[in-house]
Amino acid sequence: MAMAQENAAFSPGPEEPPRRRGRQRYVEKDGRCNVQQGNVRETYRYLTDLFTTLVDLQWRLSLLFFVLAYALTWLFFGAIWWLIAYGRGDLEHLEDTAWTPCVNNLNGFVAAFLFSIETETTIGYGHRVITDQCPEGIVLLLLQAILGSMVNAFMVGCMFVKISQPNKRAATLVFSSHAVVSLRDGRLCLMFRVGDLRSSHIVEASIRAKLIRSRQTLEGEFIPLHQTDLSVGFDTGDDRLFLVSPLVISHEIDAASPFWEASRRALERDDFEIVVILEGMVEATGMTCQARSSYLVDEVLWGHRFTSVLTLEDGFYEVDYASFHETFEVPTPSCSARELAEAAARLDAHLYWSIPSRLDEKVEEEGAGEGAGEEAGEEAGEEAGEGAGEGAGVDKEQNGCLPPPESESKV
């Protein structure tokens, strides 16, 4: 009967339908940060790091700048070549064979523009060529060759970095759609799962978790998006991952956790966001990659556990990503981690003081006579009755926070 009551207290209660919340996400599920910079008056700061500004632009704007950088350069130097020919009078002596122009066969602006393209791209078709009678043309030729190389290096570098950005690699790093809260080794833990869809692995992978929640200080200051670290094994090294197969990341709800005093009902009424960050180096390129996701209150399932996705086949392990996001219900106390720890401590204290007293009674019974044995038996009966009453009181005080029946049988 007592065991049935304990199991009833330990089993999860009826699940309430999820309530729709109006909280705005700080980080979207796909990792995009939902923050926009407004009223930035010092826009010149973006130009001080022009390379990063061009890389961060959208693709259509990057391609537009790429085309304009070359087209404007060709037009600029083409106009200068035309001005030199016009200033020297080459355009007035096109039919004069005795006249030595600055550039042979340059008869107009279009020809000057084509010569500028041939010079900067080092094509050199041979029809239009500079002569040695034009020192200003020689200086311009050297200047255009140097500046053209700089433009090539800058624009090609921007396009290469933009194409090889590691944030595209983060698209194949997946997080579970929900986080779960259940028991692990008799302690409440908040867990989520991460996985890598590619065969090429993430090197030196590490995981972090942040709790985003509003708070008010003792002085009355309101902090709308206060960030608190959630320990996922930094002290033990469990935050460094060997991400070959999907892993379940666990945050133990202990006295240092912000969820230490949060019961199931209190957690459902709370308003917070958990941001998880996975970092590592791409094995193929060596560039640092970061993947992000988040969980709102409605996406934290109390009393659930992740379905196993790893199976042993003939000579290899197989990962079934069809079950990556699936969970199933498990018996989990609905009280807070603090109340669960206090209930377990009271139960351990009760067992500690009751079992040794009975052993001492057996020793006294063996050494004493029958009369002394009867007296010891009466005293033991009284103590056992008191112990049973105390045990019933302990059971009554658990209030749904009893540890699992397996742990009691082990004790």
Side-chain angles (χ1 to χ4, degrees):
M1 186 66 179
M3 184 64 69
Q5 293 177 355
E6 293 173 3
N7 291 334
F10 180 72
S11 60
E15 238 181 84
E16 297 181 2
R19 298 185 299 273
R20 302 183 67 89
R21 295 179 181 267
R23 180 182 176 88
Q24 179 65 53
R25 284 187 182 274
Y26 190 57
V27 176
E28 299 291 342
K29 295 294 285 185
D30 59 0
R32 293 183 295 108
C33 295
N34 197 16
V35 177
Q36 295 183 0
Q37 313 296 340
N39 296 326
V40 180
R41 303 183 184 277
E42 299 177 348
T43 55
Y44 67 90
R45 294 181 180 273
Y46 293 105
L47 299 178
T48 58
D49 188 8
L50 185 60
F51 185 86
T52 305
T53 302
L54 293 177
V55 171
D56 290 341
L57 289 176
Q58 297 179 351
W59 266 107
R60 58 178 179 269
L61 294 178
S62 296
L63 292 176
L64 177 63
F65 274 100
F66 185 82
V67 173
L68 289 178
Y70 285 102
L72 293 178
T73 304
W74 296 335
L75 285 172
F76 174 73
F77 283 101
I80 296 179
W81 285 115
W82 180 82
L83 289 175
I84 290 177
Y86 180 80
R88 296 180 77 255
D90 295 343
L91 301 180
E92 301 173 359
H93 300 81
L94 297 177
E95 304 297 333
D96 188 358
T97 56
W99 181 265
T100 303
C102 183
V103 179
N104 290 330
N105 300 311
L106 196 153
N107 53 13
F109 181 77
V110 176
F113 176 69
L114 293 176
F115 180 71
S116 174
I117 295 176
E118 295 174 15
T119 301
E120 189 166 333
T121 57
T122 65
I123 294 176
Y125 289 114
H127 182 65
R128 282 174 289 270
V129 60
I130 191 172
T131 63
D132 56 359
Q133 301 298 320
C134 182
E136 62 269 28
I138 296 175
V139 174
L140 182 61
L141 178 66
L142 294 175
L143 183 62
Q144 186 174 3
I146 295 173
L147 292 180
S149 299
M150 295 174 63
V151 171
N152 285 334
F154 188 82
M155 297 310 301
V156 173
C158 287
M159 297 303 294
F160 175 77
V161 172
K162 192 170 183 64
I163 292 173
S164 61
Q165 275 185 316
N167 54 4
K168 301 301 179 184
R169 177 65 174 88
T172 53
L173 297 174
V174 292
F175 297 86
S176 58
S177 58
H178 291 82
V180 298
V181 177
S182 60
L183 288 175
R184 263 195 174 185
D185 298 326
R187 298 184 179 182
L188 283 176
C189 295
L190 173 71
M191 294 171 283
F192 58 93
R193 183 149 60 186
V194 297
D196 188 1
L197 300 180
R198 288 190 179 273
S199 299
S200 59
H201 307 306
I202 295 294
V203 182
E204 296 292 335
S206 61
I207 190 75
R208 292 183 292 145
K210 293 278 189 180
L211 175 65
I212 310 297
R213 180 166 56 183
S214 301
R215 66 179 291 263
Q216 190 169 7
T217 64
L218 297 176
E219 295 77 15
E221 179 187 2
F222 180 74
I223 305 176
L225 295 173
H226 182 259
Q227 300 183 12
T228 304
D229 281 331
L230 296 180
S231 176
V232 288
F234 177 78
D235 297 333
T236 59
D238 292 338
D239 62 325
R240 294 187 291 272
L241 310 179
F242 182 52
L243 196 58
V244 177
S245 61
L247 298 176
V248 175
I249 310 302
S250 175
H251 163 66
E252 182 180 328
I253 304 178
D254 53 13
S257 172
F259 300 115
W260 174 242
E261 298 184 356
S263 62
R264 177 177 182 173
R265 186 174 298 275
L267 192 71
E268 292 173 350
R269 295 179 178 177
D270 203 347
D271 187 17
F272 62 83
E273 181 178 356
I274 299 174
V275 177
V276 292
I277 305 169
L278 176 62
E279 293 178 328
M281 291 189 300
V282 182
E283 188 178 34
T285 62
M287 302 181 72
T288 302
C289 171
Q290 184 180 92
R292 298 178 293 266
S293 187
S294 67
Y295 302 98
L296 296 180
V297 177
D298 294 336
E299 296 168 343
V300 179
L301 304 178
W302 190 288
H304 283 245
R305 188 178 296 165
F306 287 107
T307 303
S308 178
V309 296
L310 196 63
T311 57
L312 178 60
E313 302 297 334
D314 187 12
F316 62 93
Y317 292 95
E318 183 178 1
V319 178
D320 180 18
Y321 276 98
S323 305
F324 182 82
H325 301 284
E326 293 182 1
T327 63
F328 61 95
E329 293 189 28
V330 292
T332 305
S334 58
C335 63
S336 66
R338 181 183 63 82
E339 294 171 342
L340 181 63
E342 291 175 354
R346 287 195 297 267
L347 183 61
D348 291 342
H350 171 67
L351 294 175
Y352 177 79
W353 289 108
S354 61
I355 294 177
S357 62
R358 293 172 184 173
L359 294 177
D360 294 339
E361 291 168 5
K362 290 183 179 181
V363 174
E364 293 177 359
E365 288 177 0
E366 292 178 357
E370 295 180 356
E374 293 176 358
E375 294 177 0
E378 293 175 357
E379 292 178 358
E382 294 176 358
E383 292 178 1
E386 294 175 358
E390 293 176 358
V394 171
D395 292 341
K396 187 176 180 180
E397 291 176 358
Q398 302 307 316
N399 192 20
C401 294
L402 286 172
E406 293 85 359
S407 63
E408 290 185 9
S409 59
K410 291 180 181 179
V411 174

